[in-house]
């Protein structure tokens, strides 16, 4: 789901309180994202991150091990925020606002989010951290579906995860797999499509493959 | 869309006729896919490909330049086939059969298709070739939508590309971005969702963002 898209060229606006250890972590992880945005995964090294962060590289090696460890911690830190999904008052509106956030994150410069996605193909640690982050983001987004069910827009047994994947997958598909230029209509259209399918009952109950034997009645 | 999933451990079943140049291309591109499946993009080198193909590496450098050129040609060759989308007699059936092909290709061992997708994050030549391949596959799949329109299942102005992306994107999203294990229900369910949304008019006509000014009437 959406990842934060920090602007490495601007000073970070605020810092969580913490001692020296927390401060070093912040400096190092900011440097990871900035290096990743500028150089991509292939240009990311512990040495460059340490230099940019103003931290001795031995400290980085000791605490993070390697580039995979740095990326995994950057992804874990990205999930440690107060982000919550948009609340516009309707299912379609919430999904559209969410999709606009995703499209913005995927097309922001420097391209940090695509670089993190690319890294998940290369580093098992990064892949696992990304999976954790996405799992957490989709879990937070389930409130979109529960609110819609409370408003009577959806049946109460709606499969939230499938609905959310249906609404958001076309954005990622177009922008980081098909590599097509951003389509300004796509965020709204993918939201409307998922909302229409939901109204037609596509996500009600547990899906069953056509070929699965049904229990005897 | 689906890419062929060759089995590098088996002898290729048939060869297009051709002279020495065509034969060398076949040997080299088979070696590219085999190496990619075994080692991934990071382990792919011109030297290993040349050795596996039994071709002098100078020949490979001269003709393909580098790993990016090899991958691009392998992707172009993958599109030079007679593949056509399933024809089951219904929109939902066609989309489900297509999705099963995609899920099989994305989960086949060795993981050649995910490795090709990963390569598109790393090499601009591979990215462009993958875009060409996908464009061609989606264009071929438009027959699924035109047949459904002829049968009266869909309005004639259905946006085929959006429908096809909606039907197929969740497969790629789950398997190569979220890295979740294959869900045996997903191919059928994503097909049903897209077919339901299509019946509800989600892909009729050109989508229009809510904010776009409408022409005066």
């Amino acid at each position: 789901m959406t990842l934060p898209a920090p602007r490495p060229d601007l000073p970070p606006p605020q810092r969580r309180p913490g001692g020296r250890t927390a401060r070093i972590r912040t400096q190092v992880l900011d440097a990871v994202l900035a290096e990743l945005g500028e150089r991509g995964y292939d240009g990311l090294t512990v040495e460059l991150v340490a230099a940019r962060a103003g931290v001795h590289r031995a400290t980085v090696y000791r605490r993070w091990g390697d580039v995979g460890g740095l990326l995994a911690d950057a992804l874990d830190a990205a999930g440690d925020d107060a982000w919550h999904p948009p609340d516009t008052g309707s299912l379609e509106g919430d999904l559209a606002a969410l999709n606009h956030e995703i499209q913005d994150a995927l097309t922001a410069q420097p391209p940090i989010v695509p670089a993190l996605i690319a890294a998940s193909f290369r580093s098992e640690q990064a892949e696992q951290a990304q999976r954790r982050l996405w799992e957490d983001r989709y879990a937070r987004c389930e409130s979109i579906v529960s609110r819609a069910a409370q408003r009577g827009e959806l049946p109460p047994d709606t499969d939230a995860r499938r609905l959310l994947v249906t609404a958001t997958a076309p954005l990622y598909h177009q922008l980081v797999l098909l590599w097509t230029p951003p389509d300004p209509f796509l965020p709204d259209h993918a939201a409307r499509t998922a909302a229409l399918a939901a109204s037609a009952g596509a996500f009600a109950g547990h899906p069953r493959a056509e070929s699965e034997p049904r229990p005897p009645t």
Side-chain angles (χ1 to χ4, degrees), chain A residues 40-110:
Chain A
Y41 181 94
D42 283 313
L44 197 65
T45 68
V46 168
E47 281 76 9
L48 286 168
V49 167
R52 186 169 200 135
V55 169
H56 199 286
R57 66 183 182 174
T59 306
V60 179
Y61 278 116
R62 195 168 53 242
R63 182 148 166 201
W64 284 276
D66 58 14
V67 162
L70 284 167
L71 285 165
D73 200 31
L75 284 157
D76 285 339
D80 184 21
D81 64 5
W83 183 86
H84 56 87
D87 184 1
T88 67
S90 76
L91 175 65
E92 188 179 325
D94 286 359
L95 296 174
L98 177 64
N99 277 350
H100 281 286
E101 282 192 37
I102 292 171
Q103 180 130 306
D104 289 348
L106 289 174
T107 56
Q109 288 300 326

Side-chain angles (χ1 to χ4, degrees), chain A residues 146-185:
Chain A
S146 59
R147 287 194 305 255
Q150 279 161 16
R151 286 189 299 260
E153 285 190 84
L154 290 173
D157 65 343
T158 296
D159 185 329
R161 191 62 58 98
R162 285 184 189 267
L163 193 164
L164 292 164
V165 167
T166 298
T168 57
L171 280 288
Y172 294 98
H173 197 65
Q174 297 274 23
L175 292 169
V176 295
L177 292 179
L178 305 187
W179 302 104
T180 48
D183 170 355
F185 298 116

Side-chain angles (χ1 to χ4, degrees), chain A residues 41 113-123 130:
Chain A
Y41 181 94
V113 178
L116 285 168
I117 290 174
S120 77
F121 282 95
R122 316 279 307 284
S123 152
Q130 176 143 299

